[in-house]
Amino acid sequence: MSQPQKDRPWLFRTYAGHSTAKASNALYRGNLAKGQTGLSVAFDLPTQTGYDSNHILAKGEVGKVGVPVSHMGDMRALFKDIPLEQMNTSMTINATAPWLLSLYIAVAEEQGADVTALQGTVQNDIIKEYLSRGTYICPPEPSLRMITDVAAYTRQHLPKWNPMNVCSYHLQEAGATPEEELAFALATATAVLDDLRGKVPAENFPEMVGRISFFVNAGIRFVTELCKMRAFVELWDEICATRYGVEDAKYRRFRYGVQVNSLGLTEQQPENNVYRILLETLAVTLSKNARARAVQLPAWNEALGLPRPWDQQWSLRMQQILAYETDLLEFDDLFDGNPAIDRKVNALKEGARAELAQIDGMGGAVKAIAYMKGRLVDSNAARIAGIEDGTTTVVGVNKWTTGEPSPLTAGDDAIMVADKDAEADQLSRLAAWKSGRDNDAVQSALADLRAAAADGTNIMIPSVACARAGATTGEWADVIRAAFGQYRAPTGVSKNPSNRTEGLDELREQVDLVSHALGRRLKFLVGKPGLDGHSNGAEQIAARARDCGMDIAYEGIRLTPQEIVDAAAADDAHVIGLSILSGSHIPLIGDVITKLKEAGLSHIPVIAGGIIPEDDATKLREMGVAAVYTPKDFELNKIMGDIITLVDPRKLAAE
């Protein structure tokens, strides 16, 4: 009996990068040796937001959530002994995507690679950055221009490269319903293609439509998520055919990579996350006609801190067992003709079409950013409320919370700790790079970049020249900032209380009583110091405090410690809440506390939230932080009660 013909498996990736380019290179080569079939590069926040490692905003953030790449020397070290012509490299980079792609091209040229053979993806999706992740630089219009500049450039010079990866992953992390994830991602894709139409010859446009890829999230409701992926496939085919007249079916194919949901990974009983990750993987692999082209899985202990190489290996083995030990790849689509699946897919498509019509009526995704952001904040509030009141079960969090201690989390090395010397090492190499380059050549290349930004020349042409000349990430981005301006996206947190009142009456009464005792309305300042743009938690804390009757001040992301202290003085804040998810909590919160003392404001209590290991929480308390909250503290009303108690002058007088 002949063996059944098996489909080729998807690309196996691990999202990785940390500390330094040299350390990340060793990690990549180790993962490739273990059977990983593609690279997925995580860059640190200074690199993502266009700052050199020595910038004041980069302090404490260098090498924390990814690898720092300040210049071509860093990119060279990152891919040392990895032949780029043979790789399929995904780079999670958005605002600085033209620059990082330019560095990648320059290093590939240096390796002697055929640049036209390079395969991979730059994420290059700014709209979702305004909505959920916050690593944008410029206003929407020039940002859209740079996205389509990259696309037009790759058509000519890197024909196998995916110039944009429409990223709905972070939309779900920010609370999007399946219908919102579908609609907001598709609206982003059409905004880009509408702009790209004028930059490529008409005969080449269908081929460019075919090069747009997507990066999605798969949550724990895996039947719904599977249906969402089938809906994505059908809606994209429909949009490509009707809106853009693409006749060749291969150019209408919905090509996507996926990372399964990190939002649902729990700090409590973290070993349960292994099952969650597996079930979420099934959502994007079971249905052949909606199967991912590339899959990267988080590690089981991601809610605790940085995963170790062993943790990443465990996630990789999960993919390999599914692809090579099971018979999944031997069958046609398992769900075609299933009436329950068809009903759910059609319902999701109907909901997504209604959202798309709303966004189109506003003038498209760029014009609808504030609307979409508000929807995400409201949807996330509803998600959190469901966990708080128990209507949504999360095993080990709000049900079956007692259990045996996990041996997986025992010991001092249960999670990886960021290299404390990495930042100093990076700064030293940055200084050496600048002193050893031809500064005249750099300045000339930057002048050409400035001119291109002004006259509409494709931004990639001078960017590649800047990379070859030795310019740095910060220098490139400073030209872009000067040319196009900077931008602060809407926070999505309205000053007006929401209609969500369940369980808040007692808290509102307490806020009123404490405010009366204080002599004015309790003022709560929510701040995000540093470059961490993951604002979902800060938004929900601010919104709940508002609904409890507090006077809130929340200006969004990317503030220096000094700006937060200045705001506390100007607003006469009663309490300051700091949210940091990048692992930079110790240096950044330390700076805020020092500057509060210098300003004579050390009487204002500070609370902190983030992915903070217990040892770090102890250090923060020793610094003077009044309370530390981590993902296990999901009951927002309890946090509100703590804030009220913290500033209650009647309690303080009694003490």
Side-chain angles (χ1 to χ4, degrees):
M1 188 182 213
S2 63
Q3 287 292 315
Q5 184 69 35
K6 294 184 75 166
D7 290 337
R8 191 168 63 181
W10 53 91
L11 281 171
F12 303 154
R13 285 188 172 129
T14 306
Y15 183 52
H18 64 86
S19 305
T20 64
K22 184 178 178 182
S24 298
N25 172 263
L27 181 64
Y28 295 162
R29 287 188 286 111
N31 285 344
L32 289 168
K34 291 170 185 168
Q36 186 173 299
T37 53
L39 293 176
S40 181
V41 182
F43 295 100
D44 74 354
L45 289 171
T47 305
Q48 292 183 49
T49 50
Y51 295 104
D52 284 336
S53 300
N54 61 357
H55 193 278
I56 185 169
L57 277 169
K59 184 179 179 183
E61 303 277 24
V62 177
K64 282 281 169 52
V65 300
V67 58
V69 175
S70 291
H71 48 75
M72 186 171 161
D74 287 339
M75 191 66 96
R76 185 187 294 145
L78 185 63
F79 293 109
K80 187 175 186 291
D81 299 326
I82 298 175
L84 296 185
E85 195 174 323
Q86 298 171 29
M87 279 297 107
N88 190 308
T89 305
S90 170
M91 293 194 281
T92 302
I93 198 73
N94 297 286
T96 52
W99 174 241
L100 272 294
L101 180 57
S102 296
L103 289 173
Y104 189 85
I105 290 167
V107 168
E109 289 173 340
E110 200 175 64
Q111 287 186 358
D114 174 4
V115 171
T116 64
L118 294 179
Q119 294 186 71
T121 303
V122 275
Q123 194 167 95
N124 208 17
D125 178 355
I126 293 295
I127 291 176
K128 75 97 173 53
E129 294 298 323
Y130 301 135
L131 297 179
S132 57
R133 199 166 154 273
T135 69
Y136 54 81
I137 297 174
C138 299
E141 287 79 6
S143 295
L144 191 61
R145 171 202 156 170
M146 288 191 286
I147 291 171
T148 52
D149 276 1
V150 169
Y153 183 87
T154 59
R155 185 196 70 79
Q156 280 190 286
H157 303 283
L158 284 79
K160 297 183 178 180
W161 195 269
N162 298 320
M164 191 211 182
N165 198 224
V166 181
C167 182
S168 70
Y169 175 84
H170 297 96
L171 301 180
Q172 187 176 128
E173 296 272 297
T177 64
E179 293 87 347
E180 288 167 349
E181 187 179 345
L182 285 161
F184 296 179
L186 293 170
T188 298
T190 56
V192 169
L193 287 175
D194 288 351
D195 193 65
L196 181 60
R197 245 178 174 164
K199 292 189 178 182
V200 298
E203 64 270 21
N204 297 119
F205 185 71
E207 180 189 342
M208 291 309 299
V209 173
R211 293 239 62 84
I212 298 292
S213 61
F214 291 76
F215 187 74
V216 306
N217 200 331
I220 193 63
R221 292 171 58 81
F222 84 95
V223 177
T224 296
E225 295 293 301
L226 183 149
C227 292
K228 180 188 77 182
M229 296 321 306
R230 290 173 69 93
F232 254 136
V233 168
E234 294 177 22
L235 285 168
W236 184 240
D237 183 78
E238 181 182 297
I239 287 168
C240 292
T242 59
R243 187 176 183 125
Y244 298 116
V246 178
E247 294 178 1
D248 190 332
K250 75 179 179 185
Y251 294 144
R252 302 197 305 264
R253 194 177 301 145
F254 185 82
R255 301 176 312 116
Y256 77 98
V258 64
Q259 172 157 321
V260 307
N261 200 336
S262 295
L263 178 68
L265 302 186
T266 63
E267 184 179 357
Q268 305 95 314
Q269 301 181 16
E271 61 279 1
N272 296 344
N273 294 330
V274 174
Y275 302 129
R276 294 185 176 107
I277 292 166
L278 174 60
L279 289 167
E280 290 164 355
T281 307
L282 294 179
V284 294
T285 54
L286 281 179
S287 176
K288 178 177 178 176
N289 294 339
R291 184 170 293 151
R293 301 265 298 228
V295 177
Q296 59 194 45
L297 303 181
W300 67 280
N301 56 354
E302 202 168 279
L304 305 178
L306 281 175
R308 300 157 296 184
W310 182 86
D311 305 312
Q312 292 189 330
Q313 175 185 299
W314 202 11
S315 288
L316 176 62
R317 294 293 181 250
M318 187 184 295
Q319 292 201 61
Q320 290 168 326
I321 290 167
L322 183 60
Y324 293 114
E325 292 193 24
T326 78
D327 56 357
L328 174 65
L329 298 178
E330 297 173 12
F331 291 90
D332 292 336
D333 197 290
L334 307 176
F335 302 96
D336 282 355
N338 181 308
I341 296 291
D342 288 346
R343 277 195 304 273
K344 184 63 177 176
V345 169
N346 288 331
L348 289 172
K349 286 164 63 178
E350 188 177 330
R353 284 194 190 104
E355 279 286 358
L356 281 166
Q358 175 81 16
I359 293 165
D360 272 342
M362 293 177 165
V366 167
K367 295 283 194 294
I369 285 169
Y371 163 77
M372 292 190 287
K373 180 65 176 178
R375 287 296 301 266
L376 291 177
V377 171
D378 289 346
S379 294
N380 206 15
R383 181 190 69 82
I384 290 169
I387 297 171
E388 284 184 290
D389 65 24
T391 54
T392 299
T393 296
V394 183
V395 174
V397 172
N398 63 1
K399 202 164 188 181
W400 305 297
T401 55
T402 58
E404 300 300 321
S406 168
L408 291 174
T409 58
D412 294 336
D413 61 348
I415 59 170
M416 199 165 82
V417 178
D419 181 356
K420 62 181 173 53
D421 300 320
E423 185 165 338
D425 176 59
Q426 175 70 7
L427 296 183
S428 170
R429 283 182 294 100
L430 175 58
W433 176 265
K434 283 189 169 183
S435 67
R437 66 188 183 173
D438 181 343
N439 201 50
D440 289 342
V442 170
Q443 295 308 316
S444 175
L446 290 171
D448 290 344
L449 176 66
R450 201 171 294 114
D455 69 18
T457 299
N458 189 304
I459 212 75
M460 283 298 296
I461 296 167
S463 296
V464 173
C466 284
R468 293 177 187 137
T472 67
T473 297
E475 290 167 339
W476 180 89
D478 281 346
V479 171
I480 297 301
R481 276 185 272 266
F484 300 137
Q486 296 193 74
Y487 181 72
R488 288 196 74 76
T491 66
V493 181
S494 166
K495 288 288 184 185
N496 302 317
S498 73
N499 295 324
R500 194 169 287 107
T501 59
E502 305 92 326
L504 296 185
D505 288 344
E506 187 179 336
L507 285 168
R508 285 175 172 169
E509 186 178 337
Q510 289 177 34
V511 170
D512 286 343
L513 289 170
V514 169
S515 296
H516 180 74
L518 289 167
R520 60 189 172 88
R521 182 61 44 184
L522 194 166
K523 184 77 177 189
F524 179 34
L525 172 67
V526 179
K528 285 196 63 63
L531 296 175
D532 166 39
H534 288 85
S535 56
N536 307 331
E539 290 156 4
Q540 294 305 317
I541 290 288
R544 185 64 61 87
R546 173 204 65 198
D547 290 349
C548 288
M550 297 182 204
D551 182 7
I552 61 157
Y554 174 58
E555 294 305 317
I557 63 169
R558 219 181 298 168
L559 300 171
T560 65
Q562 187 62 57
E563 286 172 329
I564 289 170
V565 171
D566 290 346
D571 292 334
D572 202 7
H574 292 114
V575 62
I576 298 170
L578 301 177
S579 168
I580 304 168
L581 281 84
S582 64
S584 304
H585 39 268
I586 296 285
L588 289 173
I589 293 173
D591 264 9
V592 171
I593 288 174
T594 298
K595 291 181 186 303
L596 283 170
K597 287 177 182 171
E598 291 169 354
L601 299 173
S602 55
H603 60 281
I604 303 177
V606 174
I607 62 174
I611 300 174
I612 302 173
E614 186 50 44
D615 286 351
D616 285 0
T618 301
K619 289 175 188 171
L620 289 173
R621 293 185 196 101
E622 289 168 356
M623 286 180 191
V625 173
V628 177
Y629 301 99
T630 67
K632 72 178 183 300
D633 301 298
F634 65 94
E635 294 177 281
L636 299 193
N637 286 353
K638 182 180 182 307
I639 296 174
M640 296 301 113
D642 292 348
I643 293 169
I644 296 164
T645 302
L646 194 59
V647 298
D648 187 345
R650 301 166 304 167
K651 172 181 168 292
L652 296 173
E655 289 174 352

